[in-house]
Every structure is written in structure tokens, then in C-alpha cells.
Amino acid sequence: AQTVTQSQPEMSVQEAETVTLSCTYDTSENNYYLFWYKQPPSRQMILVIRQEAYKQQNATENRFSVNFQKAAKSFSLKISDSQLGDTAMYFCACGSYQKVTFGTGTKLQVIP
Amino acid sequence: GAGVSQTPSNKVTEKGKYVELRCDPISGHTALYWYRQSLGQGPEFLIYFQGTGAADDSGLPNDRFFAVRPEGSVSTLKIQRTERGDSAVYLCASSRTSANTGELFFGEGSRLTVL
């Protein structure tokens, strides 16, 4: 079994500023992947960034980067130069075998 | 189609009725997932198909829920004797391989309301 915890139900950030969303997880698997998905009001979930647990180097994708602390089972998402289009729900997820488990989400509001 | 297609986008039904929700995955994707998302919650795993077979159905809440994927492409989630607690958005996702390693591509979901 695996669990994903997001302790920040809501966050806000000024446009062009940087924000960090927190996530902790627990899994008994040795091989697993971690994800951040974005869900705008349209409901369609979109992958933001992915991290292989066996890789020590933190993944980056343009303005999005992660801080992966394997021993602490922590996987935070940093959004730099926040844009109005970043306003959405953000879900942290952990995948092992055939199942991907999601957290409860963080609602991010980018303020102009 | 280019993306995952789900129909209907909205379904309102009465308690006790039977409901079918359809998912048409991205062409060539062998893995297909159903998730349920209640208001204010993250997606909750229901069932995973690899090809035609259900590889993991451990998330189905009870025997009123059933899903099929007879030809390894389109999948149908079937809910019998619906209850008010079944109200949620049902999300379908597909992946080229297994979603734990690859990207999940989601549809826009089917919002089910049971009155």
C-alpha cells in the first residue's frame, strides 16, 4: 500500500514570484515513481513533472522543479516565475507496480 | 481521437438506477485506468486494465461496480443500483505502458449525480 499526503489545502502566490508545494509519501516498494499533476477548472489532469525514485538528481521542467528527499519521503514542487495560467489544483502522486496513488491536492491561486 | 474521450460528460440519475460510463483511450495505449474523484478530494483508484483483462480491480468499492474492456480499447464502467454516495467525477486515463512508470493521460471525466 502507498499513501500520499499534501498538507497545504490552499496556497496563493503573486504573479512572477516563486512558490513551493509540499508532499510526503509512503510506500513499501523499492521501485516507484513520483509525479505532480495539475488539474485546472476544466477537470482534465495534466502531468507537470515526473521523478524516478532511483535517480538522485532532481527533475526539472522549465519553470517547474522538484526537491526529492528519498530518505525523508518528501517530494516538493517549486514553481518559479508564477503565471496566471498556473492557477489550478496540484496533485502529488506515487506510482508503483500498476497503481498510482494521489494526494488530496493543493489549490494554488496566482494573484495578478 | 487525439486524447482520452469520456462520455457522457454529465449524468444525472435517480437512486437505484443503472449507469454506464464510457472511456475511449488514446489509440495504441494498452493500459487503461478508472479513478473516482469526490468533491475536494484527489482521484481514488478503482481499476486498471492491461489490454482486455483487469490487472487490478482492488479499488472497486463493492460488487455494484464493474468495468469491462472487451477489445482492449474502449472501456465501460458500470454501476448498478446507484446510491447517492456514488456521486462523483469518474476519471479515465490511459498510458502506453504501465502508469507507474509512464505518464497518465486523463480524460475530462464524467460527472455523475445521483439524486
Side-chain angles (χ1 to χ4, degrees), chain B residues 21-61:
Chain B
L21 306 176
R22 175 190 166 105
C23 173
D24 195 347
I26 293 173
S27 178
H29 281 192
T30 59
L32 185 145
Y33 292 71
W34 283 100
Y35 283 83
R36 178 170 69 175
Q37 187 174 23
S38 301
L39 191 64
Q41 300 296 314
E44 173 192 16
F45 172 81
L46 295 178
I47 187 170
Y48 158 64
F49 287 90
Q50 182 63 261
T52 60
D56 185 345
D57 64 357
S58 62
L60 294 177

Side-chain angles (χ1 to χ4, degrees), chain B residues 49-114:
Chain B
F49 287 90
Q50 182 63 261
T52 60
D56 185 345
D57 64 357
S58 62
L60 294 177
N62 51 59
D63 61 5
R64 295 187 297 105
F65 288 75
F66 189 70
V68 295
R69 194 185 185 198
E71 297 178 357
S73 178
V74 171
S75 175
T76 304
L77 178 65
K78 308 180 180 190
I79 310 173
Q80 297 177 322
R81 303 183 304 279
T82 52
E83 300 177 356
R84 291 193 180 87
D86 298 336
S87 296
V89 175
Y90 289 81
L91 297 171
C92 177
S94 70
S95 177
R96 273 192 295 272
T97 55
S98 295
N100 61 315
T101 58
E103 178 180 355
L104 279 172
F105 292 84
F106 282 86
E108 293 188 358
S110 293
R111 182 182 298 280
L112 174 65
T113 303
V114 182

Side-chain angles (χ1 to χ4, degrees), chain B residues 4-20:
Chain B
V4 177
S5 176
Q6 291 188 247
T7 55
S9 57
N10 285 285
K11 175 70 176 179
V12 180
T13 191
E14 293 180 343
K15 179 172 178 274
K17 298 291 188 182
Y18 170 80
V19 167
E20 287 191 354

Side-chain angles (χ1 to χ4, degrees), chain A residues 40-56:
Chain A
S42 69
R43 287 199 319 232
Q44 189 164 23
M45 302 264 286
I46 304 165
L47 179 68
V48 174
I49 197 165
R50 181 177 75 131
Q51 173 83 41
E52 292 90 335
Y54 62 85
K55 287 188 178 179
Q56 292 186 338

